[in-house]
């Protein structure tokens, strides 16, 4: 498998999701990832469930997924000796990802102003490195609430809902990985020799995908609200319950898809009905057309509904849970799930690296490392510490 970022070294000072996920993306494209953790305890993800009971100890599957593909080095960054070790590591590195509260690295004398100018530093936070809210604590939910996405999620007559996964953390990591590679391109391909500092704030990643929400507020004074599984400006669209109690997602909002759906339903008359003849008319009468589609779906099993829609080129499909997804022939044919050899619990199936080069099968990353597993290896090979020096640092609790 091609590894376009091979030869780059990334120092991961992050915790939780966004910064480590950013590093993981770079690692899955070939970069070497060195994760710095607190001696004795390590990343908080090591203690976040769900857990596997292994040798009477609980092992985090969250960590097994998000800790994979990197080396673990323990350094106490709160102490001057630990800070000096980090500066030595960074001297031969290309990227640093960190997610401490703004101002922390400055207090520890390891902020970007004290690091090589060639380094690309991504600074992750919820609210950004400056501004009135910059020092507030927060996680994924805070970013979703502040950006407005949580306000749009759920049914209109129910409280706002949180999406089922840490979308702000993962999306922030993805945006950051792209920005990092752009600065590396500028530094290396254009020959500037200079890296840069990226202000990666979680609510910003959500804000960027909010579609027309702000423009509509600006020009139409329209405050967008929750619409559940339907859309205010297109119909029919939604999750419909089949005869065998499965949900099927169907999109018939555009004119071409609606006409195809009418054929799949054996209801060509609907396309001629003045209530549904145009996208604007269907949006005005969305409750009526959605009810008609819901009735049709309720009279057949989900497999039959899906087959009839697919046969007419209507975007539709059963809503999967993880068991459905893992058993799907398409997923198996494309290798979307790979087996990671975890050093604690052995082989465990996880999502494969994404994206992939066309025609290549993704290579499974190495398993999430044991705490401090690579400390001696990295500190001796990268910055030249001797075994005597390592023993002394370990005795003092620095590593």
């Amino acid at each position: 498998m091609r590894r376009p970022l091979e030869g780059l070294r990334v120092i991961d000072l992050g915790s939780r999701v966004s910064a480590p996920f950013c590093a993981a993306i770079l690692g899955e494209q070939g970069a070497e990832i060195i994760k710095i953790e607190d001696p004795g305890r390590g990343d908080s993800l090591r203690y976040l469930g769900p857990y596997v009971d292994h040798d009477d100890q609980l092992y985090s599957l969250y960590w097994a997924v998000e800790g994979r593909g990197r080396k673990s080095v323990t350094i106490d960054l709160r102490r001057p000796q630990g800070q000096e070790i980090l500066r030595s590591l960074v001297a031969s590195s290309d990227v640093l990802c960190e997610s401490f509260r703004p101002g922390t690295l400055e207090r520890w004398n390891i902020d970007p102003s004290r690091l090589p100018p060639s380094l690309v530093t991504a600074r992750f936070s919820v609210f950004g490195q400056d501004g009135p809210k910059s020092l507030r604590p927060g996680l994924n939910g805070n970013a979703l609430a502040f950006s407005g996405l949580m306000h749009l999620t759920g049914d209109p007559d129910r409280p706002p809902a949180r999406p089922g996964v840490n979308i702000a953390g993962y999306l922030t990591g993805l945006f950051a990985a792209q920005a990092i590679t752009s600065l590396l391109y500028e530094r290396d391909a254009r020959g500037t020799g200079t890296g840069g500092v990226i202000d990666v704030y979680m609510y910003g990643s959500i804000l960027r995908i909010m579609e027309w929400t702000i423009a509509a507020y600006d020009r139409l004074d329209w405050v967008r609200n929750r619409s559940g599984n339907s859309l205010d400006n297109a119909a029919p669209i939604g999750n419909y319950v089949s005869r065998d109690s499965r949900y099927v997602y169907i999109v018939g909002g555009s004119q071409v898809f609606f006409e195809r759906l009418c054929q799949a339903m054996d209801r060509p008359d609907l396309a001629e009905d003045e209530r549904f003849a145009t996208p604007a008319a269907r949006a005005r009468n969305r409750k009526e057309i959605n009810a008609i589609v819901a009735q049709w779906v309720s009279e057949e099993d989900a497999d039959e509904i899906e087959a009839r829609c697919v046969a007419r080129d209507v975007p539709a499909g059963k809503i999967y849970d993880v068991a459905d997804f893992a058993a799907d022939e398409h997923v198996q044919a494309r290798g979307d799930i790979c087996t990671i050899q975890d050093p604690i619990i052995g082989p465990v199936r996880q999502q494969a690296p994404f994206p992939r080069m066309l025609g290549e099968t993704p290579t499974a990353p190495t398993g999430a490392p044991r705490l401090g597993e690579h400390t001696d290896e990295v500190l001796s090979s990268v910055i030249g510490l001797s075994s005597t020096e390592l023993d002394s640092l370990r005795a003092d609790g620095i590593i």
Side-chain angles (χ1 to χ4, degrees), residues 342-360:
D342 189 274
I344 304 296
I345 60 173
V348 54
R349 291 196 298 168
Q350 303 178 13
Q351 51 271 45
F354 175 84
R356 67 181 71 180
M357 302 297 175
L358 183 63
E360 294 187 0

Side-chain angles (χ1 to χ4, degrees), residues 29-48:
Q29 295 173 6
E32 176 190 23
I33 311 300
I34 298 174
K35 183 171 186 62
I36 308 300
E37 303 186 70
D38 275 340
R41 179 169 176 79
D43 193 313
S44 60
L45 272 188
R46 292 181 180 271
Y47 308 97
L48 191 62

Side-chain angles (χ1 to χ4, degrees), residues 164-339:
V165 297
N166 188 340
I167 186 172
Y170 289 109
L171 193 60
T172 300
L174 184 61
F175 274 114
Q178 187 280 325
I180 287 169
T181 53
S182 71
L183 285 183
L184 291 172
Y185 174 83
E186 182 184 61
R187 186 193 72 178
D188 298 339
R190 293 186 175 176
T192 67
T194 302
V197 181
I198 306 167
D199 187 357
V200 191
Y201 48 105
M202 290 174 67
Y203 81 82
S205 68
I206 300 299
L207 184 65
R208 184 59 185 85
I209 64 165
M210 289 289 280
E211 302 174 335
W212 42 263
T213 305
I214 291 178
Y217 175 67
D218 179 58
R219 299 304 297 269
L220 305 175
D221 198 29
W222 184 8
V223 175
R224 190 175 182 181
N225 289 299
R226 292 184 294 287
S227 58
N229 292 314
S230 62
L231 293 177
D232 291 334
N233 58 352
I237 292 175
N239 303 331
Y240 305 96
V241 184
S242 65
R243 183 172 61 188
D244 55 347
S245 300
R246 293 292 304 266
Y247 283 96
V248 183
Y249 181 66
I250 299 175
V251 177
S254 72
Q255 192 63 25
V256 64
F257 288 153
F258 179 66
E259 292 173 1
R260 293 174 184 173
L261 179 59
C262 292
Q263 295 297 321
M265 297 170 63
D266 294 328
R267 291 290 309 274
D269 60 291
L270 292 174
E272 305 299 327
D273 190 316
E274 64 180 11
R275 297 172 299 166
F276 313 131
T278 67
R282 290 194 298 278
R284 288 193 301 270
N285 298 286
R286 57 187 178 277
K287 290 183 179 179
E288 290 86 347
I289 190 59
N290 275 318
I292 292 171
V293 175
Q295 180 63 35
W296 172 65
V297 174
S298 72
E299 296 171 354
E300 299 283 354
D301 289 349
D303 286 343
E304 176 64 19
I305 294 294
E306 182 181 63
R308 290 175 67 172
C309 287
V310 170
R312 292 288 184 173
D313 268 352
V314 178
K318 298 186 295 293
I319 294 180
Y320 275 7
D321 61 21
V322 65
D324 297 320
F325 184 82
D328 188 271
E329 69 278 5
H330 184 80
V331 172
Q332 294 173 0
R334 287 183 55 82
D336 291 318
I337 296 177
C338 65
T339 299

Side-chain angles (χ1 to χ4, degrees), residues 376-394:
D376 289 9
E377 171 197 330
V378 169
L379 298 187
S380 61
S381 64
V382 177
I383 63 176
L385 294 183
S386 67
S387 57
T388 301
E389 290 171 315
L390 291 169
D391 289 343
S392 177
L393 290 167
R394 185 167 285 111

